[in-house]
Amino acid sequence: MNYFPDEVLEHVFDFITSHKDRNSVSLVCKSWYKIERYSRQRVFIGNCYSISPERLIARFPGLKSLTLKGKPHFADFNLVPHDWGGFVYPWIKALAKSPIGLEELRLKRMVVSDESLELLSKSFVNFKSLVLVSCEGFTTDGLAAIAANCRFLRELDLQENEVDDHRGHWLSCFPESCTSLISLNFACLRGEVNLGALERLVSRSPNLKSLRLNRAVPLDTLQKLLMRAPQLVDLGIGSYVHDPFSEVYNKLKIAIQRCKSIRSLSGFLEVAPHCMSAIYPICGNLTFLNLSYAPGLHGNKLMKLIQHCRKLQRLWILDCIGDKGLGVVALTCKELQELRVFPSDPFGAGNAAVTEEGLVLVSAGCPKLNSLLYFCQQMTNAALITVAKNCPNFIRFRLCILDPIKPDPVTSQPLDEGFGAIVQSCKGLKRLSLSGLLTDQVFLYIGMYAEQLEMLSIAFAADSDKGMLYVLNGCKKLRKLEIRDCPFGDAALLEDVGKYETMRSLWMSSCEVTLGGCKSVAEKMPSLNVEIIGESEQMEFNLDDKQKVDKMYLYRTLVGHRKDAPEYVSIL
Amino acid sequence: MEVGLKMTMKGGGGDHVGGCDKEKMGFEETELRLGLPGGGGGGGDGEVVRKRGFSETVDLKLNLSSKQDTSGIDPNDEKVKGLHQEKNLLLSAIDPAKPPAKAQVVGWPPVRSFRKNMLATTTQKSSSEESGEKAALVKVSMDGAPYLRKVDLRMYTSYHQLSDALAKMFSSFTIGNCGSQGIKDFMNESKLMDLLNGSDYVPTYEDKDGDWMLDVRRIMQKVTHNERDRSNRARTKSCGEVQEEKLKEVGVVNRATCSFDL
């Protein structure tokens, strides 16, 4: 192994890019560990509390790109109080003090303050790329700092963040000298933007490939932007409302036709369905279409649009497409790999317009389907079994029946057999979300067959501890397990506490575990943080060990208890 | 110990007519409970959990954390959470005539808040722009059901259609066919007395005086009036913001809470 000088090994390692592989390389021997750590440029940290910024900096002095994830997944659904944690500031502060020349920062479910953004913008001369997904805590003032200070900014990508929009002129803060933008996504901002500044910015960004606008950008601005950026590959349309007989609309049609490189289309946050024909010319090239924020587009207009999209690989849509519309997808989109059907009525008080029929149609028509998120009215075992047969390549299978404990409406049986078929057939399944009426049986199947499963989400399921035990014993590659409202108690939790060290995290809420049980885990496994999350206004904890715990979140960590937990979070 | 999700069913002791004997159906495991456990919870003793009257049906989110949707409502928790129960009973004691807002399961369906807010805004905006397509949306709730449903009254041209749709919507929450049967029978006035002695579920609605009324057909008439009277038109809003000036909640409740005299 020492026949090659370090530089050669380093050169070889350059070809190894996946995090998993690089982690493996570093474990081979001391000398490989050393070479790998000095040459490592990209680091992914799935739980920001598993390691400290100081240790990160110490190990990887050549760090250029950092990805951090904060809150647990169920925080997306209001199950985690707002100030639970996930603050990025300490990371930026530590990195700023160090010699590290950070160029890229990607954050998910973290709390990002304007202060952090400002510090970030001023601390790293070569900072190029900021990607924020489902974050909160910042305003457009923070964005102004990024725009103003990051002279070589290439990417500003804001996905589904809660941003306090001060309607400031943050877009105007990009200096005239900034011509390096490749990707700009501000679709999640609710406020007005300076349209003139936007047009000028796009005009001086010849490398711009991805542009996603917010609702405040009207059709005539869109037309002007497209005229200046015909090289776009990814377009997110803000407002798409206009008179189809107007001059602007005609100009738009011409502009769109020039955009021969567009492969990805999203947005339509406001849409006039009768203007969709202008889009048809580019539909034939699309590989990704996201209409999941466009409830105004449905029925025949929607189906007509889809019929033009023969090359689609990923489709995100609302359930108002209906089973019939999914039939059109099945006939048209033969290359489809990923389908996400979201509820058009996300408060769950209406009827989802898709059922098992739509899913079966898509599975039959799209054999390459490997990733699914499907909110539906109902599901049957027969349908799931058919889907499993048609599409054995699922990597992600997430099913959400709006009534969380609904049985098979035809047979009144639980959906154990259906999901069992999925895990048995899809040998590469990595992520699974269950819903509907489910007994312990489905978990037996999961434990037996889901050998590659890494993430499992369970709600309102199972009869007893056995369910959880089947999963913990069977799924060797399990990394994330999140459970709500299931009858799993201390016996299941304590059966194999060592297992949790092999996982990133475990979430259990409204289950049967007690404080005593959680304490026991914490005691046996000092390498885990076991957090009991109370209510925001909760003043004191009930110290009775027999008390059932409302929310427990445990995760492995190398740095012990975190110091930034709010009062209502107790780390055992 | 058998722990299942239990639907709180009204009816206490004896009247389980129409094949709806809950004690014997063994549906305990499939029932979804949202109300406070009425005692005897998951003891597996087969006893039907006595459902409180509608006015006592509580919104478990009421008066808990105001900042965020609360959670941690453990449907399987057999220990009565003393503090909550007191609060909730207090609520009903104060104003027994006014039913509290319906409980909804926190965090379900699992949709990101960002998406919910975005869709709510989008629907609101687009509907205020469209002129001719306003829907007459009404919230429908049923005791013991985990969440509200929404009905667009303009989709139904007759009372029969509406009651059929309501029956279908809620049949999954009822044991057997009590719900749908009850509503179907209700259409036939001569069966009214049978119905009242029979099924556990009848549709009622609350009119603008706050009275709970049995006759749902008046809702349909009100809808027609509203169509004519543009200035008073119920504006279409997103599901989370159904305007209730003219159209009140239509509730499908257990018969014992109907406010009428025979």
Side-chain angles (χ1 to χ4, degrees):
Chain A
M1 280 305 146
N2 289 332
Y3 303 145
F4 298 119
D6 288 0
E7 295 79 29
V8 175
L9 275 175
E10 203 179 303
H11 184 65
V12 172
F13 291 172
D14 276 349
F15 293 99
I16 301 172
T17 47
S18 101
H19 293 294
K20 254 173 93 185
D21 288 342
R22 292 216 62 136
N23 291 346
S24 305
V25 158
S26 69
L27 292 174
V28 167
C29 63
K30 274 197 191 142
S31 115
W32 280 38
Y33 176 88
K34 191 175 123 215
I35 298 168
E36 197 283 320
R37 71 176 259 256
Y38 280 110
S39 64
R40 178 96 137 217
Q41 295 190 339
R42 314 181 65 87
V43 173
F44 169 86
I45 297 176
N47 174 5
C48 64
Y49 291 118
S50 62
I51 191 73
S52 71
E54 290 75 27
R55 286 180 63 164
L56 171 75
I57 292 165
R59 181 170 168 189
F60 300 114
L63 183 67
K64 292 215 168 11
S65 162
L66 176 62
T67 304
L68 279 172
K69 291 190 180 180
K71 300 186 192 181
H73 177 229
F74 276 1
D76 281 350
F77 318 130
N78 289 342
L79 289 179
V80 176
H82 269 293
D83 45 351
W84 168 87
F87 308 103
V88 78
Y89 186 76
W91 291 85
I92 296 180
K93 186 160 152 219
L95 285 162
K97 270 197 277 186
S98 78
I100 286 189
L102 194 69
E103 295 184 9
E104 177 177 277
L105 186 61
R106 309 167 73 95
L107 305 176
K108 185 167 185 179
R109 262 181 239 115
M110 293 201 73
V111 177
V112 181
S113 61
D114 282 344
E115 208 188 357
S116 325
L117 290 177
E118 199 175 321
L119 182 60
L120 177 70
S121 73
K122 292 185 174 155
S123 308
F124 307 104
V125 172
N126 283 323
F127 192 75
K128 297 193 168 74
S129 168
L130 180 63
V131 181
L132 303 177
V133 180
S134 292
C135 295
E136 56 174 359
F138 61 103
T139 77
T140 43
D141 295 346
L143 298 178
I146 297 285
N149 302 326
C150 301
R151 294 196 295 144
F152 305 112
L153 193 69
R154 291 193 195 160
E155 179 175 23
L156 178 59
D157 186 358
L158 308 170
Q159 299 176 31
E160 301 197 336
N161 302 290
E162 296 288 353
V163 185
D164 200 357
D165 199 325
H166 290 168
R167 289 162 183 76
H169 294 274
W170 66 276
L171 263 179
S172 322
C173 293
F174 282 103
E176 287 302 312
S177 55
C178 174
T179 58
S180 47
L181 269 183
I182 298 179
S183 167
L184 178 63
N185 172 8
F186 59 94
C188 64
L189 296 185
R190 297 180 204 281
E192 303 298 316
V193 286
N194 185 329
L195 298 177
L198 176 61
E199 286 174 41
R200 288 190 296 276
L201 180 61
V202 169
S203 297
R204 63 176 187 275
S205 304
N207 298 319
L208 193 67
K209 293 280 189 295
S210 169
L211 179 64
R212 294 194 185 187
L213 310 167
N214 76 345
R215 198 201 296 272
V217 181
L219 202 78
D220 55 350
T221 305
L222 173 66
Q223 175 261 319
K224 290 185 199 151
L225 294 172
L226 291 180
M227 288 301 284
R228 289 171 168 78
Q231 76 282 3
L232 281 179
V233 171
D234 169 27
L235 174 64
I237 290 179
S239 171
Y240 194 74
V241 177
H242 227 282
D243 176 359
F245 301 108
S246 67
E247 180 59 25
V248 175
Y249 185 64
N250 283 331
K251 284 192 193 168
L252 177 72
K253 280 201 258 191
I254 297 169
I256 290 182
Q257 279 175 355
R258 292 176 68 220
C259 297
K260 300 201 188 300
S261 304
I262 293 184
R263 298 286 173 270
S264 159
L265 188 61
S266 60
F268 296 96
L269 308 175
E270 278 177 354
V271 58
H274 39 273
C275 295
M276 293 310 288
S277 53
I279 304 287
Y280 294 163
I282 53 169
C283 286
N285 292 327
L286 290 180
T287 56
F288 177 40
L289 178 61
N290 181 357
L291 297 175
S292 65
Y293 285 108
L297 204 50
H298 49 261
N300 287 335
K301 299 282 183 213
L302 176 58
M303 292 206 242
K304 254 187 125 180
L305 181 70
I306 296 208
Q307 276 169 329
H308 284 87
C309 303
R310 301 205 151 269
K311 291 204 193 144
L312 223 50
Q313 293 173 15
R314 295 166 62 211
L315 175 64
W316 293 20
I317 200 85
L318 289 172
D319 64 5
C320 49
I321 192 177
D323 288 332
K324 215 171 124 207
L326 289 176
V328 172
V329 172
L331 287 174
T332 312
C333 310
K334 294 304 181 186
E335 301 297 314
L336 197 69
Q337 295 176 30
E338 176 178 320
L339 175 67
R340 298 198 189 190
V341 181
F342 293 94
S344 41
D345 185 358
F347 294 92
N351 286 316
V354 297
T355 68
E356 77 277 8
E357 289 180 15
L359 182 59
V360 170
L361 288 172
V362 175
S363 74
C366 310
K368 295 188 182 178
L369 197 64
N370 63 38
S371 176
L372 180 76
L373 172 61
Y374 197 73
F375 285 82
C376 60
Q377 188 67 23
Q378 62 182 42
M379 185 54 57
T380 63
N381 283 312
L384 285 173
I385 291 169
T386 305
V387 169
K389 257 201 293 244
N390 291 339
C391 298
N393 297 318
F394 274 115
I395 301 174
R396 271 169 243 109
F397 192 88
R398 299 159 67 187
L399 188 72
C400 178
I401 303 168
L402 287 190
D403 176 351
I405 51 160
K406 191 167 179 151
D408 180 328
V410 171
T411 62
S412 298
Q413 293 297 306
L415 292 178
D416 301 333
E417 298 305 310
F419 280 106
I422 293 286
V423 293
Q424 198 173 353
S425 163
C426 304
K427 308 222 185 292
L429 193 68
K430 288 192 180 169
R431 181 169 181 183
L432 178 64
S433 299
L434 306 169
S435 62
L437 184 65
L438 295 164
T439 71
D440 287 342
Q441 184 70 12
V442 71
F443 299 103
L444 175 64
Y445 291 141
I446 291 173
M448 273 172 67
Y449 295 113
E451 290 175 5
Q452 302 300 321
L453 195 66
E454 296 180 8
M455 181 168 178
L456 179 62
S457 308
I458 311 172
F460 301 102
D463 310 312
S464 74
D465 283 335
K466 283 200 266 176
M468 185 165 166
L469 289 172
Y470 290 143
V471 171
L472 290 176
N473 290 335
C475 299
K476 300 292 175 212
K477 296 206 176 169
L478 195 64
R479 294 191 298 114
K480 286 181 279 184
L481 180 58
E482 45 186 30
I483 305 170
R484 65 165 291 183
D485 295 276
C486 293
F488 302 141
D490 293 341
L493 180 68
L494 293 169
E495 167 89 358
D496 178 11
V497 292
K499 169 90 177 169
Y500 305 132
E501 215 174 33
T502 70
M503 293 166 53
R504 184 188 296 174
S505 64
L506 168 66
W507 168 282
M508 292 180 76
S509 61
S510 303
C511 296
E512 300 285 314
V513 293
T514 67
L515 185 59
C518 296
K519 280 185 184 170
S520 196
V521 176
E523 216 176 273
K524 293 186 185 150
M525 301 291 299
S527 59
L528 301 176
N529 276 355
V530 181
E531 297 195 4
I532 308 297
I533 302 172
E535 302 299 328
S536 303
E537 286 95 29
Q538 191 167 340
M539 277 304 135
E540 53 183 69
F541 276 92
N542 187 330
L543 297 170
D544 177 5
D545 277 5
K546 295 207 196 42
Q547 180 75 19
K548 293 217 181 101
V549 160
D550 210 21
K551 293 174 202 167
M552 178 206 73
Y553 178 52
L554 66 80
Y555 50 90
R556 67 181 175 192
T557 178
L558 292 175
V559 290
H561 290 190
R562 62 186 176 111
K563 307 279 182 304
D564 62 358
E567 272 189 13
Y568 55 83
V569 171
S570 165
I571 308 182
L572 300 178
Chain B
M1 169 180 67
E2 182 127 67
V3 182
L5 299 167
K6 293 208 180 313
M7 182 171 333
T8 49
M9 300 292 290
K10 174 96 188 202
D15 44 350
H16 298 298
V17 190
C20 298
D21 191 335
K22 294 155 206 74
E23 292 179 18
K24 302 199 177 114
M25 280 195 150
F27 274 16
E28 291 88 349
E29 287 177 19
T30 67
E31 296 170 288
L32 178 68
R33 173 194 301 176
L34 272 187
L36 289 176
D45 55 3
E47 257 290 307
V48 172
V49 174
R50 185 199 159 275
K51 184 183 185 296
R52 278 160 274 110
F54 189 88
S55 60
E56 294 175 65
T57 304
V58 294
D59 180 355
L60 292 164
K61 283 158 54 177
L62 282 178
N63 292 332
L64 297 180
S65 167
S66 50
K67 214 177 173 206
Q68 45 132 135
D69 290 338
T70 58
S71 56
I73 301 157
D74 185 352
N76 301 315
D77 190 356
E78 294 170 19
K79 268 196 206 163
V80 170
K81 291 183 181 168
L83 181 62
H84 294 177
Q85 191 182 38
E86 278 170 24
K87 270 188 182 169
N88 292 320
L89 288 176
L90 189 62
L91 264 180
S92 54
I94 288 169
D95 189 1
K98 174 93 176 107
K102 282 300 296 181
Q104 289 185 309
V105 178
V106 175
W108 196 270
V111 176
R112 272 190 190 159
S113 328
F114 177 86
R115 177 173 288 281
K116 283 187 185 174
N117 296 336
M118 191 72 143
L119 278 176
T121 329
T122 311
T123 318
Q124 189 177 25
K125 283 206 170 181
S126 62
S127 60
S128 64
E129 282 161 9
E130 287 169 11
S131 43
E133 293 183 16
K134 294 186 168 96
L137 293 168
V138 175
K139 276 192 230 175
V140 184
S141 60
M142 182 174 90
D143 278 352
Y147 45 88
L148 303 175
R149 309 307 291 271
K150 176 184 68 169
V151 174
D152 178 357
L153 293 177
R154 291 171 68 102
M155 280 177 55
Y156 306 105
T157 56
S158 76
Y159 175 75
H160 288 232
Q161 281 187 14
L162 172 65
S163 54
D164 270 353
L166 285 176
K168 274 206 201 92
M169 258 184 213
F170 288 97
S171 58
S172 63
F173 298 133
T174 63
I175 297 302
N177 286 320
C178 295
S180 40
Q181 192 56 39
I183 294 169
K184 285 175 160 66
D185 281 348
F186 184 63
M187 289 158 24
N188 184 338
E189 279 196 343
S190 72
K191 280 195 181 177
L192 187 59
M193 292 303 294
D194 289 336
L195 171 79
L196 296 171
N197 293 329
S199 158
D200 291 304
Y201 292 95
V202 298
T204 66
Y205 76 95
E206 179 190 357
D207 71 6
K208 62 183 196 289
D209 300 322
D211 297 324
W212 282 88
M213 313 293 285
L214 270 182
D215 187 357
V216 183
R217 278 170 289 185
R218 292 176 59 196
I219 292 275
M220 301 303 299
Q221 286 169 354
K222 274 192 182 175
V223 174
T224 336
H225 285 137
N226 282 340
E227 284 178 39
R228 289 185 218 130
D229 183 1
R230 279 180 183 258
S231 62
N232 289 335
R233 179 189 298 258
R235 281 180 288 284
T236 304
K237 292 204 172 184
S238 72
C239 181
E241 299 174 7
V242 173
Q243 188 171 349
E244 292 174 340
E245 280 171 41
K246 293 293 176 187
L247 304 165
K248 288 294 190 174
E249 281 196 36
V250 175
V252 179
V253 300
N254 186 279
R255 64 179 178 90
T257 67
C258 297
S259 59
F260 64 93
D261 285 327
L262 287 176

